Amino acid sequence: MSDHISTENKEVETRKKAEVIKYAAASLLNSVNDILDFSKIEKKEIALENKDFVLKTVLQHVLRQAEMQAKDKNLSFYVAYKGDFPEKCNGDAVRLAQVVQNILSNALKFTAHGFIRCEIACHQKTEREGVLQIQVSDSGVGIPKEKLNHIVTGK
């Protein structure tokens, strides 16, 4: 349905929203599949995919979805890209999208007013290796100091 809407509709905003729906549905399906594979996660048997993907495209899909949610909450949403992004990356695009989506979802969940800022930096180390750094900041309530140690250590 979202494919149909995005190709048939002439309004740019409607097409953008249809794309967000399409990506959110795919993301939800991936999350359900992960829940079904929970036993694999517990046994450390889950394998990361090793496929080529366009890094900026994956990030833009996740960021578009978060931007729409921020707009619905009347939050300002900022994105900044820094560095040199390669044309193609090799890895698990689905897991990368899930990690970024989870981080942004937490920012959205705990920010009632103000802003969410996402800075994404990509730095090539060698021809085949690079570093991706994603930093999310927001004007939300934050994490209580007594819980910070639990997050860092898992205890």
Side-chain angles (χ1 to χ4, degrees):
M1 293 286 282
S2 64
D3 278 340
H4 178 71
I5 293 169
S6 63
T7 56
E8 297 285 320
N9 200 304
K10 293 178 183 176
E11 289 184 38
V12 175
E13 192 64 28
T14 302
R15 289 196 335 242
K16 283 182 183 179
K17 288 178 180 178
E19 281 294 314
V20 169
I21 291 169
K22 178 180 168 183
Y23 191 74
S27 180
L28 181 60
L29 180 60
N30 287 327
S31 295
V32 169
N33 286 336
D34 280 349
I35 291 167
L36 295 174
D37 287 339
F38 190 72
S39 62
K40 286 183 182 179
I41 294 170
E42 284 184 327
K43 296 176 186 177
K44 297 183 182 186
E45 293 176 349
I46 198 154
L48 297 176
E49 287 189 356
N50 210 11
K51 293 182 178 178
D52 287 344
F53 66 95
V54 180
L55 176 61
K56 233 175 179 177
T57 301
V58 170
L59 294 171
Q60 287 170 342
H61 283 303
V62 174
L63 291 167
R64 228 180 274 135
Q65 182 180 354
E67 183 178 23
M68 296 290 246
Q69 291 172 321
K71 187 178 178 180
D72 289 345
K73 290 182 73 172
N74 292 319
L75 299 173
S76 297
F77 190 81
Y78 306 100
V79 177
Y81 293 97
K82 297 178 183 177
D84 298 317
F85 286 78
E87 282 297 313
K88 288 185 181 177
C89 284
N90 188 277
D92 196 326
V94 172
R95 301 282 185 238
L96 173 63
Q98 286 175 334
V99 168
V100 176
Q101 187 176 31
N102 285 340
I103 293 166
L104 290 169
S105 290
N106 282 336
L108 286 159
K109 184 189 311 183
F110 296 108
T111 304
H113 52 82
F115 70 91
I116 294 173
R117 180 178 296 116
C118 184
E119 294 179 14
I120 303 170
C122 190
H123 306 286
Q124 292 295 124
K125 291 176 74 174
T126 67
E127 186 179 317
R128 295 187 41 83
E129 292 182 2
V131 174
L132 179 66
Q133 181 180 14
I134 301 170
Q135 182 177 341
V136 176
S137 55
D138 60 60
S139 58
V141 295
I143 300 168
K145 288 183 180 183
E146 61 272 7
K147 292 192 176 187
L148 282 175
N149 190 43
H150 174 74
I151 292 170
V152 174
T153 63
K155 296 179 183 176

